[in-house]
Amino acid sequence: MDPAVRLASSVADPLVCQLLLPVESTPDKAQAEGELLARLVSFRGETPPLSYESLLSLAGELVALTAPAQRLPPWDEEPVAGVLARTLWIMGELDTTDVQAVRLGPQDFARSLRSAVPGADRELNPDAAWFHDRLLVTVCLHLLHHLIRRSPVLAEHMPERAHRIRQLIDLNDVEAVRGRPEPSAADAEFEARYARSIAEEYNRVTIYGIDLPNPNTPDSWSLDATYLSLSAEFESPHQRREAGGDGDSGEPVLPADRALGGHERVLLRGAAGSGKTTLVQWLAVSAARDALPPELASLRGRIPLVLPVRRFAREGFPAPDGFLHAVRHPLAGEAPDGWAARVLTEERGLLLVDGIDEAPESERAALRGQLRRLMRVYSGNFCLVTARPSAVEPNWLADEGFDELELAPMNRDQVAAFITAWHAAAADDEGKDHQRLEEYRDRLLASIPLYRELRGLATNPLMCGLICALNRDRSGSLPHGRKELYEAAMEMLLQRRDPERRVLYADAVKLRRGARERLLRKLAYRMLVDRRAELTMEEALAEISRHLPAIPSTAGQGGPEDIFNHLLLRTGLLREQPDRSVEFVHRTVQDYLAAKEAVEQGAFDMLLAHAHEAEWEEVIRMAVAHARPAECARLLGGLLAPGRTGMQRNRRRLLAAACLEHVTELDPDTHARIRRETRNMVRPTTLEGARSLGWVGPIVLEMLPDPTHVTDKEAHRLAVTATRINDDAAIHYLAQLRNRASLQLRAELARGWRNFDTDRYADEIIAHLDPEGLYFPVSDRFELEALRKMGGRARIQIVGPFTPDDLLEGLVRDQLTHLWLAYDLRVPMGWLAAFPNLTTLRVNPRLPRVTGVPEGIRIMS
């Protein structure tokens, strides 16, 4: 985020340099890497050159020197100067080094100072507090620049960070004098049209399964009506500390769209169907409409540039002036020359790079290099990159300052909200069962908590949408397994829907499920072999033409274009782009159909050749599900075959273990061999490794070591794995860890609550955890009620959307002593007065400033 309250170097430098001792007055190693700032500041020590009173006066000068358009009312200047002086004074008490400060950058360094003086600004009004925070970022920017100029070592060891800070100084100086430059009249006119086109193009979302084949039925719905804010969690311990955690207190979970606040570069991981693309759409539409929430105020005024990787994966990352052409935007030919480059040069870009996993693994390193160069040349633009969890290794873009977030599985309240929104959208279609939609909704809401298979599947929007559609199609009778769900979906969309809705003469082509599915499988398989996510119209027609003679039921039904249009309009599984290229509505659908065709063709060697590549994982799993026993053994045996080393070998063996849950019949020898060869791989030595085991699934639980015979550190890593396996058997495993004293372990066990049946987990895990020092997270009303039934707890962490009335009713008032807000309640905190023993309010620093906190309650961040 740019500092919005600016000071030009000419006025800031003479003041900021007074905060540090002269170079000749610092110890001999002051120029060495890693010197404590506490030893460099001029206002600490036995006889400091700068007294606190002088520091207070200096802070007053900094406040008064801001540009007139940004200046505070006179009565606010003195209080803000006092808070600024106290915040800068804390530099003399922290163990932060000059290297760490420069590495953090101005915004994060300012945040670390602010969090070290909790509650210092509680007496400021919101406008004055906002001004203080932005001015502090500017002062930190000039301070870091001064550190770099006086220490060649810093500049030599961190050239990119030093270059970036110098760029920010230059930008700050320009804008302090004349403000952000306005675009030219031609650019402004185009940007207005472009914004309207983005809002129109991306404000539609297809909820899988509801896009009915009836041509009079809408195939998508307003993003405004159906957007569901999911949750995200931070990946690294450093980021968890920044988010308000401390390594012993668990990971805060925030709304995914709000979690982006305060970041400039983010790599967002999420499983297929988890909502990554929908989040990208929401950001693009909200930015285009200038309707972003306050937490994302730093993104206002930016131009959304949506870059689906599938559009340019083969050609490489486009140059700025090729952005619109690469994604085939309808206004690409009308953009003024050099427009996109000017947007990025002026740091007004909102880069949304969706689906790194859509590029073949062999090409991702090149894409990363191109993206890194782009971000270095055009630093200062916001950039969000999305990927499936295992598509790229941890810290893939960390060197470029990208923070990592991961979309969390939907909790029960989010699932209920999605199901409710889905049925509300369905009420606008042409169906004849609208009077029964409420019954279907209520029956489904009651069924999901009861059935483990459904509960395990209903964790992301894709699967929730599919479950809703099948529940409606079958009047409340649902299949439970993943393969069975997709089989039922194929039957619904490819065979039963048209006849049952009397859509018999929509076109001249009459194909039943078998022929439709075979042709769709051919298209999906072609995309798989070519490692692409779309085909041009010419390629799709050529593929259909090649296979029509082998499908007798298509004879006399029309030419390849007639058949293609029938598949496009009647199945709901294909989607045509403005340039007439074609893709499947979701990558998971493509993977399912391609896997079935690969098994049909006996292409096992091809599958095995790519089995270690992340984008083939779902294809391999579904191929095992479709394969006959001998074919299944061949596939699984091939995954264990020698010839691969390192990460490729490990990935293939873990994939073999993951495939066991999809097997219907397998010889005991192969099964035993998989268990034997993967048993020793499930003792992770890092947290990243522990998390990655979660994708393997329930089979891992059978191979994890006895939790009663491991150290606390290993027990914590095992808990990280087991809490990410959405299976009741995981509760039994975790119960064996519940009596340990380690706060880190207890925090992980508490965090895992949201992934399991609320009541059972509460009875077997939560009720047994030692509450000493432990914050118990509550993410939905079910958990809140369960905790109340247990008598409440002293320390509570709020990680879900509650109202004050919810918390006043659900929390045990005389029990609560510490409350941690990791979710924005968006209201003043005066209601906390109802808790007589509450002493501490902990607030995630990424959240907006809280107001109205009663006297006597300490605020921590």
Side-chain angles (χ1 to χ4, degrees), residues 846-860:
R846 299 181 188 275
L847 299 182
R849 188 174 310 279
V850 296
T851 60
V853 178
E855 289 292 332
I857 298 177
R858 181 178 55 145
I859 303 174
M860 296 178 61

Side-chain angles (χ1 to χ4, degrees), residues 95-117:
D95 59 359
T96 304
T97 67
D98 51 359
V99 172
Q100 291 169 335
V102 171
R103 185 174 288 123
L104 281 172
Q107 183 180 341
D108 286 343
F109 181 47
R111 182 185 292 121
S112 70
L113 296 180
R114 196 169 62 244
S115 64
V117 196

Side-chain angles (χ1 to χ4, degrees), residues 17-23 25-27 39-43 49 150:
C17 70
Q18 296 179 43
L19 298 174
L20 299 175
L21 292 169
V23 173
S25 301
T26 57
R39 300 186 61 185
L40 302 179
V41 297
S42 60
F43 45 83
R150 60 185 266 155

Side-chain angles (χ1 to χ4, degrees), residues 185-203:
D187 283 0
E189 186 277 331
F190 174 77
E191 286 173 14
R193 286 193 296 133
Y194 176 75
R196 289 193 295 271
S197 73
I198 289 291
E200 179 179 351
E201 178 181 359
Y202 291 106
N203 191 35

Side-chain angles (χ1 to χ4, degrees), residues 769-788:
L769 296 177
D770 180 358
E772 181 64 30
L774 175 63
Y775 282 89
F776 288 81
V778 288
S779 61
D780 59 38
R781 54 191 173 87
F782 300 99
E783 293 174 0
L784 188 63
E785 176 62 22
L787 210 56
R788 181 176 180 81

Side-chain angles (χ1 to χ4, degrees), residues 726-801:
N726 197 316
D727 188 278
D728 287 347
I731 299 179
H732 174 73
Y733 186 87
L734 293 167
Q736 300 175 75
L737 299 170
R738 67 193 183 189
N739 294 322
R740 295 203 178 208
S742 165
L743 177 57
Q744 187 181 46
L745 172 58
R746 286 183 286 130
E748 178 59 33
L749 293 176
R751 186 211 64 82
W753 194 2
R754 67 178 185 266
N755 297 336
F756 300 94
D757 176 74
T758 302
D759 293 332
R760 182 179 173 194
Y761 199 87
D763 290 341
E764 298 193 29
I765 306 293
I766 299 297
H768 299 270
L769 296 177
D770 180 358
E772 181 64 30
L774 175 63
Y775 282 89
F776 288 81
V778 288
S779 61
D780 59 38
R781 54 191 173 87
F782 300 99
E783 293 174 0
L784 188 63
E785 176 62 22
L787 210 56
R788 181 176 180 81
K789 289 178 180 178
M790 288 185 281
R793 291 294 187 270
R795 295 171 182 255
I796 302 293
Q797 182 190 29
I798 303 301
V799 294

Side-chain angles (χ1 to χ4, degrees), residues 21-47:
L21 292 169
V23 173
E24 60 272 13
S25 301
T26 57
D28 292 340
K29 62 176 184 176
Q31 299 301 309
E33 188 176 6
E35 182 64 19
L36 284 174
L37 279 179
R39 300 186 61 185
L40 302 179
V41 297
S42 60
F43 45 83
R44 303 310 289 265
E46 293 183 4
T47 56

